[in-house]
């Protein structure tokens, strides 16, 4: 009797609660409800923080292109956040058609969750990275600390801002670029490399959790003498305040390859594979490459690269595959718990 | 006498400076940054489509969370004050527990329960029910972080009120709802409203838990606090602070309403 | 059966709603979380939570949360005192401001505080000149935690102080006790329980706080790395189990803090015969 | 040096529009136990609090031990105060409560121990010294409050409604105990009460307050027998108010031979002699005829309510006499009436008695 009464009440409350939630869930946004029906008019690109301007422009162009070609009106949605966090969300159930993340390791995580083919990297040209960038230094006007290359960063009088490689995908490129420089300089003597990297991180004043946070610490808060940043981010900061900053190109750096991939299980379920493929292919088209270059990413397309060559000075660039044996290995060697990065801080 | 005055003045000074430095200055800074590029830019960043959508979503989530928590708050406070039963103290501590849980972890709770790794996921998928990375998830996360507020406000008041009136009504044969509506509610309505205002304020500002379950889809699952983060990460500081100032203004309105309510209740009591 | 003894009707109904709601929104999700992470096994759990870096994260979180809660305890008492006992222009406004940290998204608070306390900020400049690093240091973390914890102590102490009967104070005054002695011996013991409640809540909140702290913390390992950041770090490496392990220990520790303080309060009231 | 231990001169005190004290004047001799008696809101507690220094008078002077204390803070007046709610420090043990005043005087530990134990012995709570107030009964708490107030050996003890919160049976015992104890200690004491029985039973002198004024000061017997004002006459004792006393036999003219028509008065039950018939009546001629409305058994007597000339009077009848019941006729002789004139009370004896005595 008692138990029965409880059940009745519980069932009643459950139905009210669920009904109300579904109502707010669907009624709150009519477009959302539409997408459930027609299935294909919504498209979600889950990306990382610094691509916001890039994809805002790209989606607009591609949307017009797609409409002209097929007559379909697609609503392109963007989600931005830390690269790792975004990969996690997709793995946890955020229904992305495509992911455009900061590094292959994060896309691997989505693949590991069973949402896409394990060899997604081979699906598109250039390691599925339609645009690239590299790691440069942003210093204050006049370069008062006279920072020219990586070895200046281990000087005692230099204060550095760089995000935490453990929480920021982008920051892992910074770390690997520095590693590569010291590796070449010390002829591969790992202990010497570690010593230098350790010195470098001892100079870090603020270890922000994300790349954009680090930029803010450097630009807005006036922390540090040098910001280790992606080239696109550095150019953006300099463009906003040309009189305050200078970009310093180190002698050697890494080729940052932000990865793009189709989330197979989602597009197959929604029936958006064609659209997703067209979307990514468009990134490789001259139009797509032009948009990337305009947003300070180095284009793969030779013609577009030539056009923007003043913006992207040449320097020696190594890839993760060449220097570190791919992302899985790099991650394991350097960034997992107990890896070289943790050793820096180990007591 | 003179010493008393000195103590009084220094204490007031201490209290005011503490609040000024810890609270007012940050708020002034928000206002200053929000208006840094003039009022037009300020108004623009608030009326822009995505900001408006975020505002609507925040209000929806807040209303839903407050509604459910009010029902729960009243029921649980009633339970904890009108009856004696085994495990009552334990239940009271459980209700307080969400205070002790990091909002980020609270968000993860729901990901684990309704996300792709959950055994429930195939079922939800088959039924086309979206919970996490959609509005229901945001509401759930908001409810979670504001769960104890109303109960905490009501319990002391209802405890002080005792059970005599309700027991008298029950002995005359009134049913539970009648007793609640006619006897209990008039006694607790101000405390209830106070709890509701606090719950509302907290619900609007929730960031950590919502951030985990939202999916950050612009114009769809971005609440105001998440929108602020995005604007900030776009280096659009003026807009970020402008939107933040809206939350401050909402909060201030809520607090003014609360003070008005308190003032009215006091007036009413003194009139009796 | 048990319900038949209750005089006021509605026991089963309110118990039903409460238990159902708690289960759906709190207990089941929490169990799901714990269950998911239980796959890691005891060995991994222990090795994760006893890692030196994690331990230091706990230490920073607990220390800063403790100091912040203590500062809030001190000022909470002063604020309640000033708001209840004195009348002065602006008292209402001061009173109204206290709840604001609840409403402001923690991230906004964190950003605003970082702007204020960075070397270029209004207050950071002053600290900088004094040679104190305010933002990006444990001090910065503490400042952020003070901000989010302001309402707890004041809102718990204030009503008790307001409802305090004046006779005991008058009695002490008649013995020639100074105002300070009266406060120490007569008023403070009455405020101790709500103070502890507020302290515990501010402390628990501070341990788990992430949004406002990351901006101002500096996040340097072994210096300003807080436990919630370490959870995030684990998550960034897709190490859900490790994150859960850190989170579960934090939850347990906060819960223990709440329980200990709760227990102490009950013990104190019981010892003095005020509660059974 | 004044003859009074405590003296109030021309005290006025208002709280907003409410006048709590109007031109208060009185003096209390050393060693007396004085009751401040009045209805609630009559300003008696305010007087007590002004003496203690917990309120300041708007005007007038307060003297304690011959010294003007208006500007002396409460803690320096040497006063022990027992609050109505006891105001015990609930987070201190009984011992610490009593010791509180002594620790503030920086007495050494041994002295404090001795003194506190003495006092706890005196109030009969020696074995409760480690209990907390919440663990004591109302009467015990009252005694702790009393001991606490006495500990620093005050010159003057003030008690605000000391028995109000105690149940009836304990209250009786406690009153006796308090009176004896205070008399033994010889400490000048003032207590506030709204209960006339309490005041009459405990106090050496009574001060009656009404609407912020003092109505009368005197010993309980004096006040009972010779109330100065109509308020006192009505407030003290069991009284029946009359609007016009002239209708009763023997009270048609005043002492000064003027008519009493329209003059009000008060009759106490003990002023009435109720007889079942003429044979029982001591003054049958002067008696009025009445009708019994109700009777109440009161243990040692019977209260009889009667209607006499349209007024409802009540008096007592011995259990020995013939019982009366509702509806019976009875003879009522009124021995005396307090008659009012210009708010002053005079005792008017029944003229029949005088006549009778003349006749005899």
């Amino acid at each position: 009797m008692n138990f029965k009464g409880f059940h009745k009440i519980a069932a009643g409350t459950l139905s009210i609660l669920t009904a109300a939630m579904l109502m707010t869930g669907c009624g709150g946004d009519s477009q959302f409800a539409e997408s459930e029906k027609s299935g294909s008019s919504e498209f979600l690109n889950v990306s990382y923080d610094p691509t916001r301007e890039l994809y805002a422009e790209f989606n607009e162009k591609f949307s017009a292109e797609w409409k002209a070609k097929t007559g379909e009106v697609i609503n392109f949605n963007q989600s931005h956040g830390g690269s790792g966090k975004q990969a996690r969300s997709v793995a946890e159930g955020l229904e992305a058609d495509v992911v455009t993340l900061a590094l292959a390791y994060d896309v691997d995580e989505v693949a590991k969750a069973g949402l896409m083919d394990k060899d997604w990297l081979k699906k598109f040209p250039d390691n599925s990275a339609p645009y690239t960038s590299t790691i440069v230094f942003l210093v204050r006007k006049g370069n008062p600390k006279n920072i020219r290359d990586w070895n200046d960063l281990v000087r005692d009088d230099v204060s550095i801002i760089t995000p935490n490689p453990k929480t920021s995908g982008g920051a892992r490129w910074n770390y690997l670029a520095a590693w590569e420089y010291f590796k070449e300089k010390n002829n591969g003597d790992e202990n010497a490399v570690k010593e230098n990297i350790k010195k470098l991180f001892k100079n870090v004043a603020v270890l922000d959790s994300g790349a954009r946070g680090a930029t803010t610490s450097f630009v807005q808060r006036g922390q540090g003498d040098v910001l280790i940043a992606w080239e696109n981010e550095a150019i953006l900061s300099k463009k906003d305040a040309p009189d305050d900053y200078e970009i310093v190109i180190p002698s050697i750096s890494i080729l940052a390859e932000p990865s793009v991939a189709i989330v197979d299980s989602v597009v197959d379920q929604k029936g958006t594979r064609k659209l997703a493929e067209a979307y990514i292919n468009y990134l490789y088209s001259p139009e797509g490459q032009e948009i990337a270059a305009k947003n300070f990413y180095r284009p793969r397309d030779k013609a577009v690269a030539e056009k923007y060559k003043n913006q992207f000075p040449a320097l020696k660039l190594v890839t993760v595959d060449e220097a570190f044996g791919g992302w899985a290995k790099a991650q394991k060697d350097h960034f997992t718990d107990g890896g070289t990065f943790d050793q820096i801080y180990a007591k | 006498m003179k010493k008393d005055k000195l103590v009084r003045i220094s204490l007031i000074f201490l209290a005011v400076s503490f609040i000024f430095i810890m609270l007012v200055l940050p708020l002034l800074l928000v206002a200053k940054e929000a208006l840094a590029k003039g009022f037009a830019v300020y108004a623009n960043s608030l009326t822009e489509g995505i900001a408006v959508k975020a505002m609507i979503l925040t209000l929806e989530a807040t209303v839903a969370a407050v509604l459910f928590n009010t029902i729960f708050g009243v029921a649980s406070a009633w339970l904890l004050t009108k009856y004696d039963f085994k495990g009552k103290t334990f239940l009271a501590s459980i209700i307080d527990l969400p205070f002790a849980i990091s909002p980020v972890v609270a968000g993860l709770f729901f990901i684990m329960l309704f996300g792709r790794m959950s055994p429930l996921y195939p079922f939800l998928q088959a039924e086309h029910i979206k919970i996490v990375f959609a509005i229901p998830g945001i509401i759930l996360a908001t409810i979670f972080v504001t769960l104890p507020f109303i109960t905490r406000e009501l319990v002391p008041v209802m405890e002080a009120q005792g059970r005599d009136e309700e027991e008298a009504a029950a002995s005359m044969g009134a049913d539970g709802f009648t007793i609640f509506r006619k006897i209990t509610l008039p006694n607790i309505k101000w405390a209830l409203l106070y709890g509701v205002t606090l719950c509302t304020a907290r619900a609007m500002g929730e960031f950590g838990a919502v951030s985990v379950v939202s999916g950050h889809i612009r114009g769809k699952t971005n609440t105001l606090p998440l929108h602020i983060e995005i604007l900030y990460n776009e280096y659009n500081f003026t807009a970020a602070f402008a939107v933040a100032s809206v939350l401050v203004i909402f909060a201030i309105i809520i607090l003014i309403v609360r003070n008005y309510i308190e003032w009215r209740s006091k007036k009413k009591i003194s009139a009796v | 059966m048990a319900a038949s003894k209750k005089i006021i009707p509605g026991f089963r109904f309110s118990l039903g709603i409460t238990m159902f709601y708690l289960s759906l929104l709190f207990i089941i999700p929490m169990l799901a979380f714990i269950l998911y992470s239980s796959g890691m096994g005891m060995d991994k759990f222990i090795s994760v939570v006893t890692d030196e870096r994690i331990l230091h994260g706990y230490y920073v979180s607990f220390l800063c949360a403790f100091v912040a809660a203590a500062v809030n305890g001190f000022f909470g008492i002063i604020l309640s005192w000033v708001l209840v006992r004195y009348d002065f222009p602006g008292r209402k406004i001061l009173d109204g401001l206290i709840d604001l940290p609840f409403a402001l998204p923690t991230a906004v608070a964190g950003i605003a505080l970082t702007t204020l306390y960075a070397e270029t900020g209004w207050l950071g400049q002053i600290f900088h000149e004094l040679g104190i690093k305010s933002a990006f240091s444990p001090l910065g973390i503490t400042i952020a935690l003070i901000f989010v914890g302001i309402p707890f102590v004041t809102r718990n102490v204030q009503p008790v102080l307001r409802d305090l009967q004046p006779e005991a104070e008058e009695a002490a005054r008649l013995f020639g006790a100074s105002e300070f002695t009266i406060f120490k011996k007569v008023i403070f013991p009455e405020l101790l329980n709500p103070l502890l409640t507020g302290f515990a809540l501010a402390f628990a909140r501070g341990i788990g706080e992430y949004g406002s702290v990351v901006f101002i913390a500096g996040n340097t390992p072994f210096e300003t790395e807080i436990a919630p950041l370490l959870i995030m770090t684990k998550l960034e490496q897709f190490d859900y189990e490790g994150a859960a392990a850190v989170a579960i220990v934090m939850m347990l520790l906060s819960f223990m803090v709440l329980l200990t303080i709760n227990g102490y309060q009950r013990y104190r009231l019981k010892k003095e015969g005020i509660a059974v | 040096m004044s003859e009074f231990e405590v003296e109030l001169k021309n005290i006025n005190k208002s709280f907003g529009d409410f006048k709590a004290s109007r031109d208060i004047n009185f003096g209390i001799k050393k060693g007396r136990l004085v009751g401040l008696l009045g209805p609630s809101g009559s300003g008696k507690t305010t007087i007590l609090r002004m003496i203690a220094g917990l309120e300041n008078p708007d005007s007038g002077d307060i003297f304690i031990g011959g010294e003007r204390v208006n500007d002396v803070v409460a803690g320096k007046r040497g006063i022990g105060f027992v609050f109505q709610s006891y105001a015990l420090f609930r987070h201190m043990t009984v011992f610490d409560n009593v010791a509180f005043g002594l620790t503030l005087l920086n007495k050494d530990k041994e002295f404090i121990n001795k003194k506190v134990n003495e006092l706890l012995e005196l109030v009969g709570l020696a074995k409760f010294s480690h209990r907390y107030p919440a663990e004591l009964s109302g009467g015990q708490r009252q005694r702790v409050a009393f001991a606490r107030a006495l500990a620093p050996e005050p010159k003057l003890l003030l008690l605000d409604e000391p028995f109000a919160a105690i149940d009836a049976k304990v209250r009786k015992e406690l009153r006796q105990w308090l009176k004896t104890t205070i008399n033994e200690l010889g400490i000048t004491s003032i207590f506030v009460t709204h209960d006339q029985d309490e005041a009459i039973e405990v106090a050496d002198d009574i001060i009656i307050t009404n609407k912020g004024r003092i109505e009368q000061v005197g010993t309980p017997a004096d006040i009972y027998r010779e109330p100065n004002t109509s308020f006192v006459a009505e407030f003290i004792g069991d009284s029946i108010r009359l609007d016009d006393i002239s209708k009763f036999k023997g009270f048609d003219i005043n002492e000064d031979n003027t008519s009493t028509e329209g003059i009000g008065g008060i009759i106490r039950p003990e002023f009435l002699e109720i007889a079942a018939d003429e044979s029982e009546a001591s003054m049958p001629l002067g008696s009025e005829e009445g009708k019994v409305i109700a009777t109440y058994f009161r243990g040692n007597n019977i209260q009889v309510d009667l209607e006499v000339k349209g007024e409802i009077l009540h008096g007592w009848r011995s259990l020995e006499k013939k019982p009366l019941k509702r509806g019976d006729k009875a003879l009522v002789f009124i021995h005396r009436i307090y008659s009012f004139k210009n708010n002053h009370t005079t005792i008017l004896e029944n003229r029949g008695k005088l006549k009778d005595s003349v006749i005899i």
Side-chain angles (χ1 to χ4, degrees), chain C residues 138-272:
Chain C
L139 177 64
I141 301 174
T142 311
I143 288 168
L145 295 183
I146 291 173
F147 179 90
V148 296
I150 287 173
F152 289 106
V153 174
T154 312
R155 287 304 184 227
N156 272 294
V157 171
Q158 209 180 353
V160 176
L161 186 62
R162 187 169 44 217
D163 296 342
L164 214 57
Q165 297 298 316
E167 282 89 358
E169 280 170 59
E170 288 175 344
R173 193 163 294 129
L174 283 164
F175 287 118
S178 67
E179 294 302 311
F180 182 70
T181 310
I182 293 174
F183 180 79
K184 197 175 77 179
K185 296 262 182 159
V186 180
I187 302 172
F188 187 72
E190 296 288 339
L191 304 184
L192 187 58
N193 269 359
L195 172 68
L196 283 173
T197 306
F199 176 87
L201 291 175
F203 188 42
R205 172 86 205 264
I207 292 169
E209 179 58 27
Y210 175 75
S212 61
V213 179
V214 273
F215 293 99
I216 203 169
N219 306 327
T220 313
F222 290 109
E223 272 176 44
T224 52
E225 204 171 46
I226 55 168
L229 178 73
L230 288 164
I231 296 181
M232 289 314 231
T233 313
K234 297 268 177 211
L235 287 176
E236 283 312 310
Q237 297 167 61
F238 311 107
D239 180 5
Y240 285 92
E241 292 172 349
V246 179
I248 286 169
V249 170
M250 268 174 62
M251 256 157 56
L252 285 177
L253 290 173
S254 321
F255 193 49
M256 263 160 55
V257 168
L258 287 181
L259 272 186
T260 311
I261 288 185
N262 222 318
Y264 173 73
Q265 291 173 324
R266 284 248 299 285
Y267 159 78
R268 185 167 167 261
L269 291 182
K270 217 167 165 175
K271 188 187 87 180
E272 296 174 7

Side-chain angles (χ1 to χ4, degrees), chain A residues 325-344:
Chain A
W327 264 109
K329 188 170 184 313
Q331 178 74 23
K332 190 165 162 284
D333 289 347
H334 300 285
F335 306 120
T336 48
D337 285 350
T340 63
F341 179 72
D342 279 353
Q343 288 164 25
I344 293 173

Side-chain angles (χ1 to χ4, degrees), chain A residues 27-322:
Chain A
D29 198 308
S30 52
Q31 284 170 336
F32 220 74
E34 273 167 36
S35 79
E36 302 281 325
K37 266 186 280 147
S38 55
S40 65
S41 65
E42 295 283 323
F43 186 87
L44 178 61
N45 172 5
V46 171
S47 193
Y48 65 114
D49 268 325
T51 60
R52 199 164 283 130
E53 298 81 2
L54 165 66
Y55 281 106
E57 195 178 340
F58 179 82
N59 287 347
E60 201 178 310
K61 271 265 174 66
F62 178 71
S63 164
E65 176 88 9
W66 184 257
K67 193 184 169 197
K69 222 161 86 185
T70 66
E72 286 174 12
V73 180
I74 308 291
N75 192 13
F76 288 94
N77 292 304
Q78 280 297 136
S79 169
H80 294 277
S83 182
K85 187 181 176 190
Q86 293 292 80
R88 222 168 57 235
S89 290
V90 174
E92 285 162 353
L94 179 60
E95 292 175 356
D97 297 84
V98 298
V99 290
T100 53
L101 298 174
L103 64 168
Y105 179 72
D106 290 335
V107 184
D108 273 338
E109 189 60 27
V110 180
K112 244 193 260 168
L115 291 169
M116 60 172 73
D117 230 356
K118 288 262 189 284
D119 57 353
W120 59 271
L121 200 71
K122 306 277 181 289
K123 294 267 159 92
F124 292 97
D126 302 319
N127 287 334
S128 288
Y131 42 82
T132 65
S133 189
T134 186
I135 306 303
V136 299
F137 307 150
L138 190 67
V139 296
R140 307 206 180 270
K141 187 77 191 173
N143 198 354
K145 289 279 167 84
N146 194 27
I147 292 158
R148 297 287 164 215
D149 208 346
W150 291 100
N151 57 348
D152 291 313
L153 299 187
V154 297
R155 278 177 8 216
D156 288 342
D157 64 329
V158 174
S159 164
I160 303 168
I161 303 295
T162 182
N164 186 340
K166 299 209 74 156
T167 52
S168 160
R172 288 177 207 157
W173 296 104
N174 300 6
Y175 182 91
L176 293 179
W179 186 278
E180 181 57 24
Y181 170 85
F182 289 114
K183 194 170 89 187
E184 297 213 350
K185 197 175 162 232
N186 293 298
N187 299 317
D189 176 357
E190 186 152 326
N191 284 332
V193 177
K194 277 187 190 164
E195 208 44 53
N196 279 305
I197 293 282
K198 191 169 183 167
K199 262 191 180 161
L200 190 152
F201 273 89
K202 282 275 174 301
N203 283 344
V204 172
V206 181
L207 203 58
D208 276 289
S209 58
R212 292 244 151 157
T215 310
T216 305
S217 290
F218 183 76
V219 174
Q220 297 287 314
R221 317 254 175 269
Q223 296 285 312
D225 303 312
V226 54
L227 171 74
I228 307 176
W230 282 45
E231 186 181 43
N232 56 310
E233 292 286 281
I235 299 174
L236 188 67
S237 298
K238 187 173 175 340
K239 207 188 91 192
D240 282 350
D243 297 336
D244 294 343
Y245 307 105
E246 282 177 18
I247 292 172
V248 171
I249 309 284
S251 64
I252 187 169
S253 195
I254 201 152
L255 182 71
E257 296 180 304
S259 308
V260 300
I262 291 173
V263 185
D264 294 327
S265 71
V266 174
V267 293
D268 288 345
Q269 195 196 340
K270 282 171 70 182
T272 50
R273 179 172 285 281
K274 274 217 162 64
L275 174 63
E277 274 169 1
Y279 186 85
I280 289 187
N281 282 326
Y282 194 66
L283 281 170
Y284 287 94
S285 73
E287 293 84 355
Q289 292 285 299
E290 178 94 29
I291 293 169
K294 268 202 281 182
N295 285 284
F296 318 121
Y297 283 93
R298 295 189 173 212
R300 295 282 196 183
D301 187 282
K302 294 262 159 40
V304 180
E306 183 59 28
K307 187 174 161 196
Y308 283 89
K309 72 170 185 217
N310 288 340
Q311 191 172 299
F312 304 116
L315 73 157
K316 186 182 174 197
L317 291 172
V318 295
T319 66
V320 174
D321 284 349
E322 293 161 13

Side-chain angles (χ1 to χ4, degrees), chain D residues 247-267:
Chain D
K247 63 173 121 172
F248 293 111
K249 282 184 187 167
F251 296 99
D252 49 344
I253 54 167
N254 234 327
E255 283 172 319
D256 50 4
N257 286 336
T258 54
S259 164
T260 56
E261 218 177 297
I263 287 179
I266 290 225
I267 299 180

